[in-house]
Amino acid sequence: MTTLLLHGGAADPAAPVSRAGGLPLVPEGFVWPLCAECEGAMQFIAHLDRAADVVSVFMCQNEPGLCQEWDPAAGGNRAYVFPAEGLLPATVPAEGETRLDEVSVLTARPVEAETYGEEDTFGPVDGKDVLGQLGGEPYWLQEDQTPDCADCGKEMGFVAQLDQVANFGGGYAYAFACGGCLRAAFLWQC
């Protein structure tokens, strides 16, 4: 079973739902991530709401393609796991490409399929664009690049695959998390 993420229309920038764009919901004391290469503020990509926690994804878009934002460990992207309770809208830095132009709800829709993405398996569903998948198995455009947790060394669990949410060079983006260590990682392939 695959859970597709469908375009659910416009959303409030701080809505506590799965969405692309808007404001990240973060714990008190959160510091907006900076790119390790260009040192600019990263762009907030997605808020992925799971049962007990939230995965927030950021990617450098200050000099697209120059900061290795496709690599989970190079410092051009960042992902976080936050407990779902007590989150507040983050303060956005004054400079940098920090937000997507649109805020879109990512509506979950289970379908009977093994993998999203393979040879454009899914067109619109119920008249709504498919923006990715939540859970299941990733469809890798290149080789499997499942990251290991920086803390415990174990392979991270797959959270989501995103398409048509931001500039992924015509490819897919992948979010992963280590539940025990509350660590997350993000990468994309084209």
Side-chain angles (χ1 to χ4, degrees):
M1 180 75 74
T2 296
T3 300
L4 296 181
L5 294 172
L6 304 179
H7 182 279
D12 178 280
V17 298
S18 288
R19 59 185 158 73
L23 295 169
L25 299 179
V26 298
E28 189 173 330
F30 174 79
V31 176
W32 197 278
L34 301 178
C35 176
E37 293 189 39
C38 74
E39 298 180 3
M42 290 189 186
Q43 183 178 61
F44 174 64
I45 303 296
H47 172 95
L48 303 168
D49 189 23
R50 303 187 316 162
D53 60 31
V54 168
V55 175
S56 289
V57 177
F58 296 80
M59 182 171 78
C60 181
Q61 285 296 285
N62 296 303
E63 298 179 47
L66 298 179
C67 292
Q68 299 186 42
E69 68 275 1
W70 58 88
D71 184 332
N77 66 53
R78 196 83 37 84
Y80 299 92
V81 177
F82 299 129
E85 299 296 319
L87 300 178
L88 305 166
T91 301
V92 180
E95 295 184 22
E97 294 291 326
T98 57
R99 297 174 63 186
L100 295 174
D101 293 335
E102 297 179 21
V103 182
S104 303
V105 172
L106 300 174
T107 304
R109 170 95 180 334
V111 295
E112 300 231 0
E114 292 181 18
T115 304
Y116 165 69
E118 191 168 1
E119 297 178 21
D120 296 323
T121 306
F122 299 100
V125 174
D126 297 334
K128 297 178 181 178
D129 289 334
V130 177
L131 300 179
Q133 86 179 45
L134 189 62
E137 295 293 324
Y139 171 68
W140 295 104
L141 292 174
Q142 299 172 23
E143 74 278 355
D144 183 332
Q145 288 184 286
T146 302
D148 292 332
C149 176
D151 287 346
C152 71
K154 294 180 183 173
E155 188 174 272
M156 293 182 137
F158 177 64
V159 173
Q161 180 172 320
L162 302 172
D163 178 26
Q164 300 182 40
V165 171
N167 179 14
F168 302 128
Y172 295 127
Y174 308 89
F176 294 85
C178 178
C181 297
L182 294 178
R183 298 278 264 173
F186 179 71
L187 65 110
W188 62 268
Q189 295 180 346
C190 63

